[in-house]
Amino acid sequence: MSEFLDARWQDILFRSYQHTSLVVQAIILATVIALALAVLVTNYRPLAPVANALFAIGLTIPGLVLLGLMIPLVGIGTLPSVIIVVFYAVLPILRNAVVGLQAVSPDLVEAARGQGMSSVAVFFRVRLPLAWPVIITGVRVSAHMSMGVAAIAAYSWAPDSAVTSTPASARSATPTHSTT
């Protein structure tokens, strides 16, 4: 085991950085998307069942199946990985954001409006801070899920990016065509 780690520590470190970077960027993007959708859902109540249905259906799709569906649409590379990780990351954040925003007391919102706050001010100064603990719980769950989904999504990267049993030094030394 130590020989493996000694021979490949730079590659392992780089791939760990790639994995972590993908997850962090996907979580940030998913949080923005989920908050925008949650505001839309909480302002238009008939959309709440649709959001719940999307959450329930979305989590039943296996990651490898979604990867297989995305590759023909967007090709091989980082784009399908980002789309898949963001898709799975949005779901728990959206659900928790909707629950958190709906849990804010209408009396508090009415009191803020009575003090002359605009709808945007009410959202950023009253509703969002009160819903934030629930939203952060969704972000935490999403981060855990995204770490696993990103490992599956790595199969859509370029062929040389996937984890192989041959070290990078041996791959570069192997001729790809015959000279005879």
Side-chain angles (χ1 to χ4, degrees):
M1 177 79 161
S2 65
E3 288 179 23
F4 177 83
L5 293 175
D6 288 341
R8 294 173 177 87
W9 71 270
Q10 289 177 328
D11 190 43
I12 292 170
L13 189 62
F14 177 71
R15 291 178 196 279
S16 298
Y17 165 76
Q18 280 184 319
H19 186 88
T20 305
S21 175
L22 172 63
V23 170
V24 168
Q25 292 176 37
I27 293 295
I28 292 169
L29 185 59
T31 302
V32 171
I33 292 169
L35 284 176
L37 290 173
V39 168
L40 185 68
V41 166
T42 55
N43 286 336
Y44 302 104
R45 297 283 182 184
L47 293 177
V50 174
N52 281 334
L54 285 176
F55 177 79
I57 293 169
L59 286 179
T60 62
I61 302 170
L64 209 50
V65 170
L66 191 58
L67 177 64
L69 294 172
M70 291 304 299
I71 289 176
L73 296 175
V74 295
I76 293 176
T78 56
L79 184 60
S81 297
V82 171
I83 291 171
I84 290 167
V85 176
V86 168
F87 173 78
Y88 282 108
V90 163
L91 300 173
I93 300 171
L94 175 61
R95 184 169 190 135
N96 280 31
V98 168
V99 168
L101 290 173
Q102 286 177 342
V104 174
S105 171
D107 295 335
L108 292 174
V109 173
E110 187 62 34
R113 287 199 179 129
Q115 292 179 350
M117 287 188 186
S118 67
S119 296
V120 173
V122 169
F123 177 74
F124 283 110
R125 298 182 82 190
V126 177
R127 294 180 73 201
L128 188 61
L130 291 173
W132 196 246
V134 179
I135 295 169
I136 288 297
T137 301
V139 171
R140 180 184 56 81
V141 169
S142 183
H144 288 199
M145 284 178 44
S146 296
M147 290 300 275
V149 171
I152 294 168
Y155 285 106
S156 72
W157 292 355
D160 194 40
S161 297
V163 177
T164 61
S165 60
T166 311
S169 58
R171 283 194 306 268
S172 61
T174 306
T176 56
H177 63 283
S178 175
T179 57
T180 57

